[in-house]
Amino acid sequence: MAAELPPYYFRTRENGAIVFRVEQENRMRRIEMDQIAVVNIRNGEVKPHGDRTLSIEDIAAIDTWMAERRRILSDRLVDDIRRTVDHLNQVTHWLQTKAEGDEVDAVTDDLLLAMHDLRSVLVRKRAERLQKSREG
C-alpha cells in the first residue's frame, strides 16, 4: 500500500513557490497536481491561479508553509554566515602557511575592501543596538 501523499506541494523558487493541490484518488491511480496559487515569500503575496478562489484550507496550508519556509531560510542564512567565518579562517591559514607572493597580491585588495566593508557595518549595527538599549 502506497504512503499517503501530502495534500499540497510547494515548488520552491527564488522568491517563493508555486502551490499545487495534490490529488491521488482517481480511476487511473495517477497523481494529479493542480496549480492553485503563486506565493511571494518576500512580501507575503498569494496570487490564486487563474480564476480560482482559494479555500480556507488552502490559505491555512499556504500560511503554514510560508512561516516554515521563512524559518528555514533564516536558519540557512545563519548557517551560511557561520560557514563564511570558517572559510575566512581557512583563507587566513592558507595566506599564512601556503600562499605565494603573487597569490597574496591577487587577493589582497578584494579581501581588504570586503573585510573593511563588513567591519564598518558590524561596528555601526552594534553601536546602534547599544544606543537603543541605553535609551530604552
Side-chain angles (χ1 to χ4, degrees), residues 13-26:
R13 47 191 226 173
E14 183 179 338
N15 62 346
I18 298 172
V19 185
F20 296 89
R21 186 176 297 121
V22 178
E23 296 178 21
Q24 57 185 345
E25 297 297 325
N26 62 41

Side-chain angles (χ1 to χ4, degrees), residues 5 7 32 43 60 101:
L5 293 173
E32 302 276 337
N43 64 15

